Amino acid sequence: MAADTPVDILQKVLENEILQSTKVVEEHLDAEIQKLDQMDEDELERLKQRRLEALKKSQQQKQEWLSKGHGEYREIPSERDFFQEVKESKNVVCHFYRDTTFRCQIMDKHLTVLAKKHIETKFLKLNAEKSPFLCERLRIKVIPTLALIKDGKTQDYVVGFTDLGNTDDFTTETLEWRLGCADVINYSGNLMDPPFQSQKKYGTSFTKLDKKTIRGKIYDSDSDDD
């Protein structure tokens, strides 16, 4: 009888792992079913009430977010509005943009989608040319830049498209993953498994917040200026 080839061995190992995983899931389901079977009517009613309360609480939280402007990607007119918006929401993504920068339009497209999907986070945009104080305070040097804010404090930045593959063709999922890495949205995917094809090609070097304020000109992310 011929010996198994490496491919055959690998296939058997994979099949065994799949069987083991299936067995674990089945055992968990059996345990849950048995637990339900052993409940009396009072216990089932209490379980039902807890679930209804959790659902009600979730709906109330959703309505509160919507009342504060979550669920849509919108522009705020001034720096003063920025401070008020940030104050009333736990998680905020603010896009500092410029009308003449094409990449800002690309960012707008993706943020519009994510704002509707992640209503737990407020998504804003602010014209960098009309907010010099904030740009200096938050060290905004490149356009577009996303300021990622938690509990009123800027925790991280997405500067240009560097963290998104250095390409104009990055996907909404890539930006979603990047925001998830900053814990500014409730990300359901695997943060250790980026959605882009080649991690080596695109890199995972993020732009972190520096306490030092840098004065100077604001550059487009696709500019050749240093």
Side-chain angles (χ1 to χ4, degrees):
M1 184 175 182
D4 289 339
T5 66
V7 174
D8 293 332
I9 295 174
L10 178 59
Q11 183 175 354
K12 289 180 179 180
V13 170
L14 292 174
E15 289 176 351
N16 183 61
E17 289 183 353
I18 292 173
L19 288 173
Q20 291 299 322
S21 298
T22 303
K23 183 179 179 181
V24 170
V25 173
E26 290 178 347
E27 289 176 350
H28 178 73
L29 288 174
D30 288 341
E32 291 297 320
I33 292 173
Q34 184 177 7
K35 189 184 298 183
L36 287 173
D37 289 341
Q38 293 173 350
M39 285 185 177
D40 58 29
E41 290 186 5
D42 289 340
E43 289 175 323
L44 287 172
E45 182 62 27
R46 285 194 293 270
L47 177 61
K48 179 181 178 181
Q49 288 301 319
R50 284 198 298 269
R51 289 181 175 176
L52 287 174
E53 289 173 3
L55 180 60
K56 182 179 179 180
K57 185 176 180 180
S58 176
Q59 289 297 319
Q60 289 175 340
Q61 177 65 83
K62 181 178 179 180
Q63 290 303 316
E64 180 182 346
W65 283 331
L66 293 175
S67 70
K68 293 179 178 180
H70 293 224
E72 60 177 338
Y73 175 52
R74 55 194 173 84
E75 181 166 4
I76 51 178
S78 69
E79 294 174 317
R80 180 179 297 179
D81 294 285
F82 172 87
F83 291 107
Q84 181 60 38
E85 294 280 1
V86 166
K87 181 180 179 181
E88 64 184 21
S89 294
K90 179 179 178 63
N91 298 313
V92 178
V93 174
C94 186
H95 173 201
F96 286 85
Y97 80 97
R98 185 159 52 190
D99 287 328
T100 56
T101 302
F102 173 68
R103 281 188 163 185
C104 291
Q105 299 174 31
I106 297 174
M107 188 67 80
D108 285 340
K109 177 185 69 174
H110 296 294
L111 292 174
T112 298
V113 175
L114 292 176
K116 295 176 181 178
K117 181 177 181 180
H118 291 280
I119 65 170
E120 73 277 5
T121 300
K122 180 180 287 183
F123 287 81
L124 306 171
K125 63 185 297 187
L126 180 60
N127 191 324
E129 295 180 321
K130 297 180 180 179
S131 50
F133 171 76
L134 269 177
C135 286
E136 179 179 322
R137 178 172 175 177
L138 299 181
R139 194 176 57 90
I140 306 298
K141 292 278 289 182
V142 175
I143 298 297
T145 286
L146 303 183
L148 311 182
I149 304 155
K150 290 184 67 67
D151 298 315
K153 298 180 180 180
T154 305
Q155 301 290 340
D156 200 355
Y157 296 112
V158 179
V159 179
F161 291 175
T162 303
D163 297 346
L164 307 172
N166 263 334
T167 173
D168 292 353
D169 298 326
F170 70 89
T171 64
T172 301
E173 289 73 23
T174 298
L175 178 57
E176 182 180 29
W177 168 83
R178 178 63 182 88
L179 299 181
C181 289
D183 195 31
V184 77
I185 62 172
N186 295 336
Y187 185 68
S188 59
N190 182 3
L191 292 174
M192 301 302 295
D193 185 20
F196 31 78
Q197 294 181 350
S198 174
Q199 187 170 339
K200 182 181 294 185
K201 175 181 178 183
Y202 292 127
T204 56
S205 177
F206 298 157
T207 305
K208 293 297 183 181
L209 177 63
D210 185 0
K211 293 182 180 179
K212 181 179 179 182
T213 299
I214 300 177
R215 300 174 184 269
K217 180 180 177 182
I218 296 177
Y219 296 98
D220 290 347
S221 63
D222 52 359
S223 172
D224 293 330
D225 294 334
D226 292 331

